[in-house]
Amino acid sequence: MKLYDYILSPSCYKVRLMAALTGVKLDIRPVDFHPGAEHRGPELLALNPAGSIPILEDEDLILTESSAMLAYLAASAAPEWLGSGAAEETARVQQWLSFSHRLTASLGGARLHEMLLRLGDITALQAQGIAALRELEAGLVEQGLRGMRFLAADRPTIADIACFPYVALAPDGGVSIAPYPAIRLWSRALRSLEHFIEMPGIHRLHELKPEPHIEPGKV
């Protein structure tokens, strides 16, 4: 599989992380996203007319949405990441996958504004990002009351990987995650997974300050 990739893109990182966690080897094709805007050049527009990355190419299959890439990698190598197949769990996975697009639009938009000077209403983007973080925090608290550390189940799924990068990088867009203890504990749980990999701005677990111990259901 070939991944057209930009090292600073959280959406690209989702795919690299999912591949690492499931043991899938990717052929990484770096893209000059900034300042070269290669993603809007003829070669990549032929693969993805939307002019966005990541792009995942596997023989005749071309995927241009990161959520679809997560599902494809999981189905190919580690189906347990898709969930158990039970109706309620499947619905939770799908709901959080949809929710992840709000994180991309809000927290991701704020990050692009602050880091790459992308046009946008930074106040509105940050407010939307905070609203999304509050919703995520509430969902994780509810899961904690069920004795679960992850968004859709008692183990990580593609839903967690879809949501994690933009949350972890929220401070790049001027949005703190300090007020959200359940999110911080969830983030630590993901960083502690075997074969977890980094990207710039997202560090390994041992580089983080310890969190205070909070019993499940009391976050």
Side-chain angles (χ1 to χ4, degrees):
M1 299 184 197
K2 179 186 291 186
L3 177 68
Y4 293 82
D5 176 72
Y6 178 53
I7 190 64
L8 296 179
S9 163
S11 291
C12 293
Y13 170 63
K14 294 179 190 182
V15 184
R16 297 197 307 272
L17 177 58
M18 189 79 252
L21 293 170
T22 56
V24 175
K25 182 175 175 55
L26 295 176
D27 175 15
I28 300 295
R29 159 66 160 84
V31 174
D32 183 5
F33 180 86
H34 180 80
E38 186 185 2
H39 57 298
R40 298 195 181 278
E43 177 190 354
L44 296 193
L45 283 176
L47 296 174
N48 180 12
S52 62
I53 53 173
I55 302 168
L56 184 67
E57 187 176 17
D58 188 18
E59 296 182 347
D60 293 334
L61 177 67
I62 297 174
L63 298 175
T64 59
E65 296 293 336
S66 61
S67 293
M69 297 175 204
L70 299 183
Y72 183 65
L73 290 170
S76 299
E80 63 273 16
W81 280 88
L82 297 171
S84 66
E88 183 175 341
E89 190 171 306
T90 298
R92 283 202 190 104
V93 169
Q94 293 301 318
Q95 179 158 293
W96 288 113
L97 285 175
S98 296
F99 172 83
S100 71
H101 297 297
R102 288 172 50 197
L103 297 172
T104 303
S106 57
L107 297 176
R111 183 172 180 267
L112 285 172
H113 181 280
E114 295 296 275
M115 294 186 67
L116 301 183
L117 305 180
R118 184 71 59 85
L119 294 177
D121 184 339
I122 186 61
T123 301
L125 289 168
Q126 289 171 340
Q128 293 161 10
I130 290 169
L133 287 174
R134 289 174 176 168
E135 187 172 336
L136 179 63
E137 177 79 0
L140 287 166
V141 169
E142 289 180 8
Q143 284 292 85
L145 293 172
R146 300 185 186 103
M148 300 182 186
R149 290 191 300 168
F150 299 101
L151 285 173
D154 59 356
R155 66 202 174 286
T157 67
I158 58 174
D160 298 282
I161 305 305
C163 292
F164 170 68
Y166 283 100
V167 172
L169 293 167
D172 287 348
V175 178
S176 174
I177 60 173
Y180 310 105
I183 286 176
R184 297 199 314 272
L185 290 173
W186 167 74
S187 175
R188 293 182 72 86
L190 289 171
R191 293 172 201 247
S192 70
L193 294 173
E194 187 177 7
H195 305 305
F196 178 87
I197 60 171
E198 303 171 312
M199 73 163 280
I202 299 181
H203 306 296
R204 287 174 290 176
L205 186 62
H206 69 76
E207 296 178 8
L208 300 177
K209 294 180 180 179
E211 290 282 351
H213 176 69
I214 301 177
E215 296 179 11
K218 295 185 179 181
V219 290

